[in-house]
Amino acid sequence: MATKRAADMSAPSLFITFEGGEGAGKTTQINLLAKRLGGAGYKVVTTREPGGTKEAETIRNLLVQREGGDWSPMAECLLLFAARVMHVKNVIKPALVEGQVVICDRFTDSTRAYQGYGHGLDLQKIEEINIAALDSFGPDMTFVFDIDPEQGLARSGRRLAAETLDINQTEDRFENMDIEFHEKLRQGYLEIAKNEPERCHVIDASGSAEEIAAEIEKIVKGKLL
Ligand code: Z5A
């Protein structure tokens, strides 16, 4: 099922998502890209999933917190799309209509990768829910961060260890899955990218933050100019 592109809307805009396994460096690169585009005069909104609105952040807590509940893959999928509907309606579409660049940390590809490839939920069912919930609305451009799960998890672990006592320290429900799960995620993401080569750019996330930032900036500016 082809994604309905954000750029189909009348105002000039760009909806970019960052995807990949844990500790791949998405958040780091989103901040760098937002800074560079902002410096070049673009209006940029950064956001994340699950989250981005009050309602969606409430759902995020249910899903990612250690004590949030033991959800089945289908229940997770439905909660994620409930959060996404609010996020698209209240944050993403309004910004795109104003001609802004929206950069989102994870979107529907995460549901395909985690709930589908990772937890075995039927991919066709995910697409049916995507049609019902969002009419398949999705990003114009996606960066898929590819990294050896061991390396990503080591980075993630370093970050958690370095954090002070705040709520994020318990956001580890997904990080605690075994390495086999993370390998499935990686292969799932690569398959998603293979199926939609025009939208998805696979980034070797093992490189330095500076190298990756330069590669991404070049691709995004190529699309914006
Ligand atoms: N989830 C789902 O199951 N289904 C869905 O549909 C959606 C989500 C939308 C949300 O977590 C969880 O929800 C997620 C999937 C699930 N599972 N997990 N975990 P999240 O989005 O909050 O967590 P995350 O995406 O895994 O974030 P992360 O661990 O923070 O990873 P990151 O953003 O990709 O990495 P980072 O924070 O930029 O960097 C991690 C560390 O590495 C940090 O110390 C950096 O300084 C360092 N770093 C960054 N880049 C580099 C480079 N290039 N070299 C060396 N070190 C680096």
Side-chain angles (χ1 to χ4, degrees):
M1 173 57 59
T3 297
K4 283 211 175 150
R5 303 269 181 256
D8 289 346
M9 302 164 91
S10 55
S13 60
L14 194 63
F15 179 25
I16 308 171
T17 56
F18 281 61
E19 294 281 358
E22 274 90 283
K26 301 178 299 300
T27 312
T28 304
Q29 292 301 327
I30 285 170
N31 292 336
L32 289 171
L33 179 64
K35 207 169 159 192
R36 287 183 187 204
L37 291 179
Y42 292 98
K43 284 190 180 164
V44 181
V45 173
T46 59
T47 185
R48 70 170 181 181
E49 289 219 344
T53 71
K54 184 168 169 279
E55 300 80 3
E57 290 289 336
T58 304
I59 291 178
R60 179 187 178 90
N61 289 337
L62 294 176
L63 285 168
V64 304
Q65 295 273 323
R66 203 179 301 164
E67 305 299 335
D70 188 14
W71 304 98
S72 73
M74 176 53 91
E76 281 182 353
C77 180
L78 293 170
L79 285 168
L80 286 157
F81 272 103
R84 192 163 295 139
V85 164
M86 298 306 289
H87 192 202
V88 168
K89 174 180 170 285
N90 292 340
V91 176
I92 297 175
K93 280 195 173 173
L96 293 174
V97 166
E98 286 176 11
Q100 302 189 30
V101 177
V102 178
I103 309 177
C104 189
D105 195 341
R106 302 190 177 281
F107 200 69
T108 302
D109 290 323
S110 282
T111 312
R112 297 181 175 113
Y114 280 77
Q115 281 64 47
Y117 289 95
H119 289 304
L121 187 62
D122 184 349
L123 291 168
Q124 188 54 40
K125 282 212 172 89
I126 295 175
E127 295 315 323
E128 285 164 14
I129 295 167
N130 188 22
I131 293 167
L134 291 176
D135 199 16
S136 294
F137 170 83
D140 302 298
M141 178 182 274
T142 297
F143 292 103
V144 175
F145 278 46
D146 183 52
I147 194 164
D148 180 331
E150 300 271 12
Q151 197 183 342
L153 289 169
R155 282 182 187 171
S156 221
R158 266 204 305 275
R159 184 202 59 184
L160 283 176
E163 274 173 359
T164 51
L165 267 182
D166 69 14
I167 199 164
N168 286 327
Q169 269 196 310
T170 59
E171 280 201 354
D172 62 358
R173 202 173 138 246
F174 288 89
E175 272 109 332
N176 287 339
M177 302 283 177
D178 60 30
I179 199 73
E180 213 178 298
F181 174 82
H182 293 280
E183 277 296 349
K184 281 192 216 164
L185 281 185
R186 185 184 195 186
Q187 294 314 318
Y189 270 124
L190 291 175
E191 203 165 308
I192 290 167
K194 200 172 150 203
N195 291 340
E196 288 195 67
E198 281 183 21
R199 172 173 69 88
C200 297
H201 302 265
V202 177
I203 301 292
D204 176 357
S206 66
S208 76
E210 294 72 25
E211 283 164 357
I212 296 168
E215 185 181 354
I216 289 174
E217 187 183 8
K218 197 170 158 203
I219 295 169
V220 171
K221 286 203 168 155
K223 182 94 175 174
L224 281 169
L225 292 176

